[in-house]
Amino acid sequence: MKTTPFWWEEAEPQHGERRFDKTDCAVLIVGSGYSGLSAAITLAEAGQTDIMVVDSLRIGEGASSRNGGQIGNAAKFTEAQAIARFGEKRGREIMDDYARSMPFMLSRGATLKDPFDLNVCGTITGGHSRKDMAKLRQWRDGLPADQRQNYEILDEIQVPRVLKTSIYRGAMVRHDQGNIHPAKYVRALANRARELGVRIFTGWRYEGARRASQGHIARLGAVQGGEAAEIRADRILLAMNGYVGPEVPWLRQRTIPVQSYMIATEEMPFDLLESLIPQNRAVGDTKHILYYFRRSPDGRRILFGGRARFRTSTEEEGAIGLRRFMEHTFPETRGVGLSHAWLGNVCFAYDFCSHGGRMEDGVYYVSCCNGGGISNQTHLGHRIAEYMLGLPGTDRGVIGGHFPRLYFYNGNPWFLPMVGTWYRFLDRSARWFD
């Protein structure tokens, strides 16, 4: 069993340029994932030149080439909850941002020359309890009539029609979402950015920035040793999401990195997998300790993910829990070998909302995918780029709003084991009282 992502078999992350031949640029973007590259593309398409992207890892080596490849645009809250939490105007704008993220990601994907196995085959949300199913129905029924047609609510007896498992009390099928090959997608974004003149450098760790007479001077440390570099930039964007370091305490106090685990099975009979997960839809559920899974793009493996552990763990330790979860969902997978097990950081905010804006020192940022990052972070990168360009009406929705912090928190989520225990209790009690 390999402890690298299955996705890297066809699209292993590559290094960018390793040495700087200049000490200034117009825009410096820290982070070569979906949001950073999408921001670079929008800036370049708007005519901005002299853009540099830097990353301590290889291009897209973080969450952007490690996730489940599921695409959608659902927020972690309803519109009513958004209005109660953020106010009516900002709440509606935030929901509008989420609604626009999937169409934008598809439109951006249409400009990419490299294939990324796009499959708009639909997604399934499994209802863990009857109470959860009631909430899904209420949520669907609250949508405008023109949007409601994209959703289908199934009761417990109907679930096997779209998913051969007995663990859910029902399901919601959304027909306008789907899945991609995440590592191919981030590679395609990088190639598009380069085509527009963006330069990408890897092996450089962001160590902070200080104000200059014009813009900022960023200090970058060489990951493999050697002298540090300083780059003067008119504007700096931090797009590090769940990999932000202690050099940016303002963001660290507002973001919670959580390890998420995935496994890939060895190849299985195509017909068997077509019976378990027809049409290769992407699946998630309503549990607090959720499962998310799909088949590989060729349809011959199950890729299964979840919060297998709430302590810092290894890929092998995560695989033990995920195998148990997978066999619980599909007894037919008992005894099947695993070819890959890997992990990556998901980034959460305390209000479960994505955020972008400008810090007190003038540095821009985007952060927090909250477990649904592909279309959302693609759109968020575009939105923050528009904000950086000073376009009217861009200080709205997820851009420029209040980004809450947790006091006495320094970026080390010491409380996650307790959260995990509480979530397990909630999931079990939901079925006890079902």
Side-chain angles (χ1 to χ4, degrees):
M1 184 183 71
K2 297 182 180 180
T3 55
T4 53
F6 166 76
W7 309 117
W8 293 5
E9 296 298 314
E10 291 189 87
E12 183 174 358
Q14 301 297 311
H15 273 295
E17 298 181 59
R18 305 302 297 276
R19 295 181 180 276
F20 296 109
D21 57 4
K22 56 185 299 185
T23 59
D24 65 289
C25 63
V27 180
L28 178 69
I29 298 174
V30 183
S32 63
Y34 302 137
S35 55
L37 292 173
S38 185
I41 291 170
T42 295
L43 290 168
E45 288 179 339
Q48 175 69 69
T49 58
D50 202 10
I51 303 169
M52 293 170 57
V53 176
V54 298
D55 203 307
S56 62
L57 304 174
R58 293 174 294 178
I59 300 172
E61 188 176 345
S64 294
S65 62
R66 296 173 179 269
N67 62 78
Q70 302 183 6
I71 54 174
N73 58 358
K76 297 292 184 182
F77 38 77
T78 65
E79 182 169 297
Q81 289 171 329
I83 291 172
R85 191 177 300 168
F86 307 109
E88 183 167 0
K89 181 176 183 296
R90 180 71 69 168
R92 293 188 187 280
E93 291 172 350
I94 287 172
M95 297 306 292
D96 181 61
D97 270 331
Y98 277 98
R100 291 173 183 265
S101 63
M102 176 75 172
F104 176 81
M105 182 256 168
L106 294 177
S107 67
R108 172 133 291 169
T111 69
L112 306 179
K113 294 182 178 179
D114 303 286
F116 50 93
D117 299 339
L118 174 65
N119 184 12
V120 186
C121 52
T123 60
I124 301 170
T125 302
H128 177 58
S129 67
R130 293 183 176 88
K131 186 176 181 180
D132 289 344
M133 285 306 305
K135 290 179 179 178
L136 289 175
R137 288 190 184 92
Q138 183 181 19
W139 185 83
R140 192 278 308 267
D141 293 343
L143 294 171
D146 60 329
Q147 297 180 26
R148 211 174 304 149
Q149 62 185 0
N150 290 322
Y151 299 80
E152 183 180 1
I153 299 293
L154 306 178
D155 61 29
E156 193 169 356
I157 297 176
Q158 295 172 311
V159 169
R161 179 159 60 87
V162 297
L163 191 65
K164 189 180 177 183
T165 184
S166 60
I167 70 170
Y168 296 126
R169 299 302 195 193
M172 181 175 73
V173 180
R174 183 165 179 177
H175 298 289
D176 60 345
Q177 298 185 340
N179 53 61
I180 63 170
H181 190 300
K184 287 184 178 181
Y185 179 56
V186 73
R187 182 177 64 184
L189 288 172
N191 288 339
R192 171 60 176 162
R194 284 171 166 149
E195 184 182 67
L196 292 167
V198 176
R199 298 181 67 183
I200 306 174
F201 297 83
T202 56
W204 293 93
R205 181 178 59 255
Y206 179 75
E207 296 181 346
R210 65 182 188 275
R211 287 187 182 273
S213 57
Q214 292 183 342
H216 291 78
I217 296 177
R219 180 178 174 83
L220 304 172
V223 172
Q224 293 184 347
E227 294 184 4
E230 289 193 339
I231 302 293
R232 192 206 64 79
D234 296 335
R235 287 163 291 178
I236 296 176
L237 170 64
L238 303 183
M240 298 178 282
N241 209 32
Y243 295 84
V244 63
E247 299 82 12
V248 194
W250 191 90
L251 275 180
R252 291 267 289 187
Q253 292 173 334
R254 289 164 171 80
T255 56
I256 306 171
V258 179
Q259 282 188 340
S260 189
Y261 303 82
M262 287 200 74
I263 54 174
T265 67
E266 293 180 346
E267 289 192 358
M268 300 170 64
F270 182 90
D271 291 343
L272 171 62
L273 293 189
E274 181 63 19
S275 71
L276 298 180
I277 312 174
Q279 300 181 42
N280 198 1
R281 291 188 174 104
V283 186
D285 62 33
T286 60
K287 296 194 304 299
H288 290 85
I289 304 179
L290 81 162
Y291 302 163
Y292 57 93
F293 51 93
R294 54 171 289 191
R295 292 155 63 189
S296 56
D298 65 4
R300 296 187 176 278
R301 303 169 189 259
I302 291 179
L303 310 178
F304 201 99
R307 313 285 185 264
R309 299 176 69 87
F310 282 80
R311 299 179 186 273
T312 301
S313 305
T314 66
E315 292 87 351
E316 292 89 350
E317 290 170 327
I320 294 172
L322 288 182
R323 173 183 280 283
R324 186 171 67 251
F325 294 166
M326 181 177 68
E327 292 177 350
H328 171 230
T329 307
F330 300 117
E332 295 86 347
T333 63
R334 287 173 183 157
V336 173
L338 302 183
S339 62
H340 299 74
W342 69 98
L343 56 84
N345 285 354
V346 180
C347 188
F348 286 88
Y350 304 114
D351 56 9
F352 291 95
C353 184
S354 295
H355 289 277
R358 197 173 186 182
M359 296 186 291
E360 293 177 354
D361 62 0
V363 173
Y364 295 88
Y365 68 90
V366 287
S367 193
C368 300
C369 64
N370 300 288
I374 299 177
S375 57
N376 185 26
Q377 294 296 293
T378 302
H379 184 240
L380 187 59
H382 167 72
R383 289 276 284 111
I384 195 64
E386 291 185 322
Y387 183 61
M388 294 170 70
L389 289 167
L391 300 181
T394 55
D395 185 0
R396 63 184 295 277
V398 297
I399 302 296
H402 174 62
F403 195 171
R405 61 166 289 190
L406 180 64
Y407 291 92
F408 309 110
Y409 170 67
N410 64 358
N412 176 29
W414 51 267
F415 45 80
L416 285 181
M418 291 180 285
V419 172
T421 299
W422 175 241
Y423 278 1
R424 290 185 188 94
F425 170 76
L426 291 176
D427 286 340
R428 289 171 182 168
S429 62
R431 295 300 287 259
W432 292 340
F433 299 105
D434 200 21

